[in-house]
Amino acid sequence: ISSPANPDLRWEQNRTTNVGLDYGFMSYRLRGSLDYYVKTGKDIFAPITLDPTTGFSSMVANVASIRNNGIELAIGYDWFVPGNRRGFSWTTNLTVTYNKNKVLEVENPATRAYDLVSLPYKTGYPVNALWAYRFAGIDDRPGLVGQSMYYVENGNTSHNASSASVDVLEFGGQSDPKAIVGMDNQLRWNGLSLGFLLVYYGGHQIGSVRIVMGQSAEHCLSQFLDSRKPFRCSGYRRICLYVTGQ
């Protein structure tokens, strides 16, 4: 048993409002749809952190109310229409979606930084918000050389800010893409078919790989080498030395 029973757990509630328009032109050769939606969720399930003295580390509970709203646009076009079953056809379908979400209410909001990082629900912010500790540099005091420091309350610094107030954290965007664009192409001829799909995601942030203390600098370097955005070699060494403490 990994978590205790919660007798106060309630069903999630969702309400959706959707307004749409379907269209077709040129004998439906050009077609598509446009939708605007608002979806509100209440009593959203999520694990919450418990006092370790209870014998459990977390429990599933109703923790928040959230709202999603956005638009969806779909366009399809037949570039070539076959004259018979073995003729050549080429169809393109384009889908564009834009979505914004926000936390409307949080039951028992987090008071410690670690709790907010683990369950990033905060009123007025995106559902999957990214919260970061503010880096204060590398300690150069004897016996503490090489250890990372972070800002805590009143401008002070500490090697561990996880138990500090949530006010020490900085909002770093959201991990959910706001915009998603997909373009699908289907080509058919004489019983053969070929399809390819292009997808774009935008409006979100991706956090860097979390490196655990004790991992080698070579491991850290390989993680950054695999990332899409290039860094200078001097940057690798500086980041790895500070993260791993080696």
Side-chain angles (χ1 to χ4, degrees):
I1 301 176
S2 59
S3 62
N6 182 359
D8 298 322
L9 195 65
R10 302 180 297 276
W11 288 103
E12 289 187 353
Q13 302 179 46
N14 291 285
R15 296 180 176 88
T16 302
T17 301
N18 187 93
V19 179
L21 172 66
D22 296 328
Y23 58 88
F25 304 99
M26 304 166 57
S27 299
Y28 216 63
R29 187 171 180 177
L30 174 63
R31 58 201 174 273
S33 63
L34 176 63
D35 293 272
Y36 173 77
Y37 62 88
V38 178
K39 181 177 181 180
T40 303
K42 185 179 179 182
D43 295 333
I44 302 301
F45 294 158
I48 59 173
T49 304
L50 298 178
D51 187 332
T53 59
T54 62
F56 299 95
S57 59
S58 65
M59 178 180 68
V60 175
N62 304 102
V63 298
S65 297
I66 63 176
R67 182 176 64 208
N68 284 270
N69 65 284
I71 59 173
E72 294 182 357
L73 173 65
I75 301 175
Y77 186 73
D78 297 326
W79 299 100
F80 293 93
V81 179
N84 53 62
R85 295 182 61 183
R86 294 182 176 273
F88 177 74
S89 68
W90 177 11
T91 299
T92 298
N93 291 295
L94 176 68
T95 304
V96 180
T97 64
Y98 183 82
N99 179 78
K100 293 178 63 177
N101 60 55
K102 182 171 65 173
V103 176
L104 302 178
E105 180 186 2
V106 180
E107 296 187 22
N108 301 317
T111 56
R112 296 186 308 165
Y114 175 79
D115 295 332
L116 184 58
V117 171
S118 303
L119 184 64
Y121 289 169
K122 187 174 182 179
T123 302
Y125 288 88
V127 175
N128 287 314
L130 296 174
W131 297 99
Y133 300 101
R134 292 187 297 150
F135 182 59
I138 302 298
D139 203 333
D140 59 359
R141 292 175 294 178
L144 300 173
V145 175
Q147 295 190 31
S148 302
M149 296 188 299
Y150 305 94
Y151 287 109
V152 291
E153 295 90 342
N154 302 319
N156 297 322
T157 60
S158 173
H159 294 135
N160 188 342
S162 60
S163 59
S165 166
V166 295
D167 296 331
V168 306
L169 296 174
E170 185 170 332
F171 174 64
Q174 64 182 65
S175 59
D176 293 327
K178 293 181 180 179
I180 301 177
V181 181
M183 185 174 68
D184 175 52
N185 285 270
Q186 295 292 329
L187 296 89
R188 296 180 176 87
W189 175 74
N190 199 26
L192 301 175
S193 63
L194 173 66
F196 59 92
L197 174 67
L198 302 176
V199 182
Y200 166 81
Y201 299 92
H204 63 302
Q205 305 291 329
I206 299 177
S208 61
V209 175
R210 179 177 296 179
I211 306 299
V212 179
M213 183 70 71
Q215 290 181 337
S216 67
E218 290 79 7
H219 173 81
C220 176
L221 177 60
S222 67
Q223 298 291 339
F224 285 97
L225 283 173
D226 289 338
S227 64
R228 193 179 76 173
K229 184 177 180 181
F231 293 86
R232 294 175 303 173
C233 287
S234 59
Y236 291 126
R237 184 172 181 82
R238 181 169 60 254
I239 292 172
C240 290
L241 288 178
Y242 117 67
V243 175
T244 62
Q246 295 182 9

